[in-house]
Amino acid sequence: MTIRGVAIKNLFSKSSSPVQRLLLLVALGLILLFVDSFTPWLKPAQRWLAEVTVPLYWVANIPARLSEYGQETVVARRELEENNEQLRTELLIYKARMQRMAEVTAENVRLRNLLNATEMLQDSVMVTELVGVTPDPTRHTIMIDRGEDHDVYVGQPVLDADGLMGQVIEVYRSSSKVLLITDSAHALPVQVLRNGVRSIVEGMGDYNKLSLRYVANSTDIEEGDQLVSSGLGGRFPSGYPVGTVTSVRVLPGQAYLEVTLTPSAKIDRSRHLLLVFSAIETLGEDRDGTR
């Protein structure tokens, strides 16, 4: 054994002092630092160590990855319910706004000829929810969770995402009663979307059926025609879907057709509804009433 080997063995022996061991380690560190800086001898060892430690880094990063994954994917049930409710409300409002697009397109040419028209309907809506249904089978009325505290008024139109549902007939502090368009006591001015023919829709006491009143045999109406509110009478705004013609029958010896419709609104299923606030804006007039 060489003298240097004996010296190193003596330094790491039990009889060597801690100071001697520390000095030897410092000397070895300086030697390795010098060799690494000025020679390529340690490069293979460095590459091998880098490859060996990669799995260790991956394992050490597992807790952080799990924490990040949990924060991104684990969402409280309450937050999900709030998001779903918000999306449902937005969808309901957007569907209601889209209802009038077909009527606007069909009426565009005729409106261009009505240059002396002075009124334009501007609607805003409030989301409401059905909270009760009348137990009387002969009446089609429901209760909603909006009332005087929310500026609801008698005669206010109510619709769902697909069409007109009815109108408010009684208002309480925090709730209101709505008469559905399928009630046998309800009547609604409408017009055929295809050609503008006007008529009156009446309820038949059936959630899935409506009828047209006093339709002459010569009237241009056929199965599949869509009917929308005409706005006549000032109660319902114009352009909202009411129903689709499902049957047109000529009755022998009668001057009027028997016309039945299917309501556009899901009368017996919709829960989230919209209250329509209508405002009439006069156009083309000065403050003194002159044009």
Side-chain angles (χ1 to χ4, degrees), residues 75-124:
V75 181
R77 178 176 179 178
R78 181 177 179 182
E79 183 178 350
L80 287 175
E81 291 177 348
E82 291 177 353
N83 291 339
N84 288 339
E85 184 66 24
Q86 181 179 356
L87 291 174
R88 188 183 299 111
T89 300
E90 292 178 357
L91 179 62
L92 185 63
I93 293 175
Y94 290 146
K95 280 188 174 182
R97 291 178 179 175
M98 291 178 62
Q99 288 177 19
R100 303 188 66 190
M101 295 303 296
E103 191 270 344
V104 170
T105 302
E107 292 289 326
N108 187 47
V109 175
R110 288 195 289 268
L111 289 175
R112 289 181 183 272
N113 297 325
L114 300 177
L115 298 180
N116 60 344
T118 60
E119 293 182 342
M120 178 181 294
L121 189 61
Q122 297 182 338
D123 302 332
S124 60

Side-chain angles (χ1 to χ4, degrees), residues 127-159:
V127 178
T128 184
E129 187 173 354
L130 185 149
V131 295
V133 179
T134 178
D136 187 352
T138 64
R139 298 300 307 274
H140 287 190
T141 58
I142 59 175
M143 296 295 297
I144 57 176
D145 63 349
R146 294 290 187 268
E148 293 177 350
D149 292 344
H150 308 90
D151 298 326
V152 178
Y153 55 90
V154 173
Q156 187 170 11
V158 179
L159 59 151

